[in-house]
Amino acid sequence: VLDFELKILGSSSATPSVSRFPTSQILTIGNQINLIDCGEGTQMQLMRFKIKPQRICNIFISHMHGDHYFGLFGLISSMQLQGRTASLNLFGPPGLSELLSLSLRYSNTHLAFQINFRELDQSVYQQIHEEHFFTVHALPMEHRVSCCGFLFREKPKLRHLLKGAFPPNLSPSQLLKLKHGEDLYDEAGQVLLRHKDVTCDPRPSRSYAYFSDTRYNEDLLPYIRHVDLLYHEATFMDDLRHRAVQTFHSTARQAAELAAKAQVRQLLIGHFSVRYKDLTPLLEEARLYFPNTQLAVEGTTVRVSDELIKAV
Amino acid sequence: VLDFELKILGSSSATPSVSRFPTSQILTIGNQINLIDCGEGTQMQLMRFKIKPQRICNIFISHMHGDHYFGLFGLISSMQLQGRTASLNLFGPPGLSELLSLSLRYSNTHLAFQINFRELDQSVYQQIHEEHFFTVHALPMEHRVSCCGFLFREKPKLRHLLKGAFPPNLSPSQLLKLKHGEDLYDEAGQVLLRHKDVTCDPRPSRSYAYFSDTRYNEDLLPYIRHVDLLYHEATFMDDLRHRAVQTFHSTARQAAELAAKAQVRQLLIGHFSVRYKDLTPLLEEARLYFPNTQLAVEGTTVRVSDELIKAV
């Protein structure tokens, strides 16, 4: 079974605090490491949690507010200094690649690895990337500047062959047909073997939805229904709901209400305003509306298993 | 007596380590706080050492390698979010203001305070700034890209009036003449009062020279002779002298030799390669050639008094 694990590197909103870094997360699927947003200090957090920058293959930047990308240029410099040669996929808003190119030019740096930059149209739900085992979709957020979240989904899996249930002389292509849920026929068109008799349902495909910076917005419910894990920003508590609307952010209660409506399995809340020294009240508020909620603080790790979600 | 105090926020070279941040320093002269270079994470280090970003009036950036400026944009964002209105002086290389403007534009930020950007010509020794109590000169470094260090010097002070040594009926302008080292004459041109009889020498003017990233270079000796405090990068130990030359950096021994030739009072070495987990060998190497050397590690604070240098 592939790993499917999220680790939180930063939990703070716009301004960092002494103990909280701005937003960044690592999502590991199989042996592929994805970095989601890259606030200032991300490379230090990667070191702290012993994650090698060279193993990151995809970086997704949600929007052009500095607390979501000011760590990117330092991380890329360090990849270069540490001898990276493997290409890097970078997904981000218009402008990101211009800033990156300029900073490389002014430092007279010629990267020894390729950056495949894909400029995101953040206004529509759409698939933006496909790997062997998963796909990534952009989720349009409602924020002060163009902004998108991301939906990571394992691809549908093949059916499991039941050991001992099928004859030993089947060819690889026949086995593959059965795994794809097709029956086998002989030349006369008679059923040789029904897939239902020799296979069982595959393990469910796992999914993670990341709501970076956004006002409360139900438009995306159809896309995130039943996801295993939802991260939703919760910059404020609900007594500051008015301020959340003004600043295009959400409250802990709103994050939880969205999780409940989408019937997700687990909710993580993060992107906390520096005004909250103690985060317990935010957690308690969210749990009133969605009990299976956890704080997305530095070091929080959530493994999505096939069966149930385990918080480490 | 004015404060004249240096605090080290970051001691690492290009790549940070778990415990070492990239270059940045705070130099407090009187009530004016100067930030010298601003590597990634500087705003976190300011919080850690309880230095309010809003009190910084001047920022000096030595060159366009990211480990010396990637923290600047986050710091300026936080100044804005924390309600800064006081203008900020920013001294830096060509390109810095272009990058800053672009990042502000893409985040749709309109600063509520003014940034007075002064683009530095880094190729010549020249005065770049003057405050009431001190001046700042650029010191051209020898690095892979245009780079300068900075020399901070208290302005020459007025002579001290010796209490009880002068008649009580002198006018303010007469007192000022004496403090400037002029004698007083009557209308007939006869000496009324000699300044030497009623004043004593002023306290010496203090000075700090910052050598950011540079090859060993004696050309600047005339400008830094007898400075109270010299910070000199020491990326490598002397067994890697060849590598230092290649990468336009210096060794601990070279930093100490320059300090000895310039007859400075105290030397700080920093900008250490991540290869050195333990910094003691670098300190020991430097002290062989200049005994009054200290490591410029995170939190190191040096007060330059009028009389002698105290390390806190």
Side-chain angles (χ1 to χ4, degrees):
Chain A
V1 179
L2 289 181
D3 277 346
F4 196 110
E5 183 181 287
L6 182 73
K7 187 181 274 287
I8 304 299
L9 305 181
S11 69
S12 188
S13 64
T15 317
S17 75
V18 176
S19 58
R20 303 209 293 262
F21 281 73
T23 305
S24 73
Q25 308 187 349
I26 286 286
L27 179 68
T28 305
I29 303 178
N31 59 0
Q32 291 198 287
I33 297 190
N34 304 280
L35 177 63
I36 307 170
D37 277 337
C38 187
E40 184 175 354
T42 295
Q43 61 171 326
M44 287 82 154
Q45 291 293 81
L46 289 170
M47 275 185 284
R48 181 172 158 200
F49 295 116
K50 301 192 196 312
I51 299 162
K52 291 199 168 64
Q54 307 301 41
R55 292 197 52 218
I56 295 171
C57 48
N58 301 311
I59 300 180
F60 300 89
I61 302 294
S62 65
H63 66 301
M64 289 300 279
H65 282 157
D67 57 322
H68 293 254
Y69 84 91
F70 279 162
L72 180 64
F73 304 158
L75 176 61
I76 286 174
S77 293
S78 294
M79 287 174 169
Q80 162 82 355
L81 289 165
Q82 289 160 10
R84 182 175 184 125
T85 53
S87 67
L88 175 71
N89 297 321
L90 174 60
F91 303 83
L96 188 64
S97 116
E98 182 187 359
L99 272 173
L100 178 59
S101 305
L102 265 183
S103 86
L104 290 170
R105 174 146 59 86
Y106 284 123
S107 66
N108 201 19
T109 303
H110 304 277
L111 292 181
F113 62 98
Q114 196 179 327
I115 295 183
N116 305 315
F117 181 70
R118 162 107 187 244
E119 190 173 294
L120 298 178
D121 172 1
Q122 296 166 304
S123 63
V124 287
Y125 173 79
Q126 63 184 309
Q127 181 172 314
I128 57 169
H129 190 52
E130 179 175 4
E131 294 277 0
H132 193 63
F133 291 114
F134 64 96
T135 57
V136 188
H137 284 71
L139 300 167
M141 302 279 112
E142 273 195 27
H143 198 45
R144 287 197 302 284
V145 296
S146 294
C147 178
C148 65
F150 303 104
L151 174 63
F152 298 81
R153 230 181 237 293
E154 269 189 303
K155 289 184 182 172
K157 295 168 186 169
L158 297 179
R159 300 183 62 79
H160 272 287
L161 291 167
L162 294 168
K163 270 188 185 168
F166 53 92
N169 58 344
L170 294 180
S171 71
S173 73
Q174 285 177 312
L175 288 172
L176 199 60
K177 276 189 178 173
L178 293 168
K179 287 168 119 181
H180 274 110
E182 297 169 37
D183 299 334
L184 299 186
Y185 296 88
D186 63 14
E187 284 164 12
Q190 296 293 314
V191 172
L192 265 180
L193 208 54
R194 291 188 200 281
H195 74 270
K196 292 226 164 157
D197 297 337
V198 297
T199 65
C200 64
D201 286 345
R203 288 164 177 267
S205 293
R206 293 163 290 180
S207 50
Y208 170 54
Y210 169 76
F211 278 49
S212 46
D213 278 20
T214 190
R215 268 189 191 165
Y216 179 78
N217 174 13
E218 295 187 0
D219 295 351
L220 296 171
L221 278 178
Y223 307 120
I224 61 163
R225 209 171 292 286
H226 302 298
V227 299
D228 294 290
L229 184 59
L230 168 66
Y231 164 90
H232 197 291
E233 70 123 299
T235 308
F236 301 106
M237 292 192 60
D238 212 53
D239 59 334
L240 293 181
R241 179 183 282 240
H242 182 65
R243 176 119 186 90
V245 171
Q246 272 180 342
T247 57
F248 289 79
H249 284 299
S250 303
T251 69
R253 172 178 172 167
Q254 289 175 324
E257 285 179 337
L258 198 79
K261 286 194 177 160
Q263 297 172 273
V264 307
R265 288 170 75 187
Q266 181 171 348
L267 170 66
L268 284 174
I269 55 172
H271 200 267
F272 308 113
S273 163
V274 282
R275 78 192 67 208
Y276 305 111
K277 308 288 174 233
D278 174 15
L279 300 174
T280 319
L282 287 117
L283 181 61
E284 285 170 353
E285 177 177 294
R287 283 185 172 167
L288 285 179
Y289 303 91
F290 190 81
N292 195 10
T293 302
Q294 216 183 320
L295 293 172
V297 291
E298 285 67 11
T300 299
T301 305
V302 178
R303 272 190 210 137
V304 184
S305 80
D306 288 20
E307 298 308 325
L308 74 168
I309 292 181
K310 276 189 212 129
V312 180
Chain B
V1 181
L2 290 180
D3 277 345
F4 195 109
E5 183 181 286
L6 182 74
K7 188 181 272 289
I8 304 300
L9 305 181
S11 68
S12 189
S13 64
T15 317
S17 76
V18 176
S19 58
R20 302 209 294 261
F21 281 73
T23 305
S24 72
Q25 308 187 348
I26 286 286
L27 179 68
T28 304
I29 303 179
N31 59 359
Q32 292 197 285
I33 297 189
N34 304 280
L35 177 64
I36 307 171
D37 278 336
C38 187
E40 184 174 354
T42 294
Q43 60 171 325
M44 288 83 155
Q45 291 293 82
L46 288 171
M47 275 185 283
R48 181 174 158 199
F49 295 116
K50 303 192 195 311
I51 298 162
K52 291 201 167 63
Q54 306 302 41
R55 291 197 51 218
I56 295 171
C57 48
N58 302 311
I59 301 180
F60 300 88
I61 301 294
S62 65
H63 65 300
M64 290 299 281
H65 282 157
D67 57 322
H68 292 256
Y69 84 91
F70 279 163
L72 180 65
F73 304 157
L75 176 61
I76 286 174
S77 295
S78 294
M79 286 175 170
Q80 162 83 355
L81 290 163
Q82 289 160 11
R84 183 175 185 125
T85 54
S87 68
L88 176 71
N89 297 320
L90 174 60
F91 303 83
L96 188 64
S97 114
E98 182 186 1
L99 272 171
L100 178 60
S101 304
L102 265 182
S103 87
L104 290 170
R105 173 145 61 86
Y106 284 123
S107 65
N108 201 18
T109 302
H110 304 278
L111 293 182
F113 61 97
Q114 195 179 328
I115 296 184
N116 305 315
F117 181 70
R118 162 105 188 248
E119 191 173 294
L120 298 178
D121 172 0
Q122 297 166 302
S123 63
V124 287
Y125 173 78
Q126 65 185 306
Q127 181 172 314
I128 57 168
H129 190 52
E130 179 175 3
E131 294 276 0
H132 194 62
F133 291 115
F134 64 97
T135 57
V136 189
H137 284 71
L139 300 168
M141 303 278 113
E142 273 196 27
H143 198 45
R144 288 197 302 285
V145 297
S146 294
C147 177
C148 66
F150 302 104
L151 174 62
F152 298 81
R153 232 182 235 292
E154 269 189 301
K155 288 185 183 173
K157 293 169 187 169
L158 298 179
R159 301 182 63 77
H160 273 287
L161 290 167
L162 295 169
K163 270 188 184 167
F166 53 92
N169 57 344
L170 295 180
S171 71
S173 73
Q174 285 177 312
L175 289 172
L176 199 60
K177 275 189 180 174
L178 293 168
K179 286 167 123 183
H180 274 109
E182 298 169 37
D183 300 333
L184 300 185
Y185 297 87
D186 63 15
E187 285 166 11
Q190 296 293 312
V191 172
L192 265 180
L193 208 54
R194 291 189 200 281
H195 75 270
K196 291 224 165 160
D197 296 337
V198 294
T199 65
C200 63
D201 285 345
R203 288 165 177 268
S205 293
R206 293 163 291 180
S207 51
Y208 170 55
Y210 169 77
F211 278 50
S212 46
D213 278 20
T214 189
R215 268 189 190 166
Y216 179 78
N217 173 14
E218 296 187 0
D219 294 352
L220 296 171
L221 278 179
Y223 307 120
I224 61 163
R225 209 169 294 283
H226 302 299
V227 300
D228 293 291
L229 184 59
L230 168 66
Y231 164 90
H232 197 290
E233 71 123 300
T235 308
F236 301 105
M237 291 192 61
D238 212 54
D239 59 334
L240 294 180
R241 179 181 282 241
H242 182 66
R243 178 119 185 90
V245 171
Q246 272 181 341
T247 58
F248 290 80
H249 285 298
S250 304
T251 69
R253 172 177 173 169
Q254 289 175 324
E257 285 179 337
L258 198 77
K261 286 193 178 162
Q263 297 172 272
V264 307
R265 288 169 75 187
Q266 181 170 349
L267 171 66
L268 284 174
I269 54 172
H271 199 267
F272 308 113
S273 163
V274 283
R275 79 193 66 208
Y276 304 112
K277 308 289 174 231
D278 174 15
L279 300 174
T280 318
L282 287 118
L283 181 61
E284 284 169 353
E285 178 179 294
R287 283 185 172 166
L288 285 179
Y289 303 92
F290 190 81
N292 194 12
T293 302
Q294 214 184 321
L295 293 172
V297 292
E298 285 67 11
T300 298
T301 305
V302 178
R303 272 189 209 138
V304 183
S305 80
D306 288 19
E307 299 307 325
L308 74 168
I309 293 180
K310 277 189 212 127
V312 181

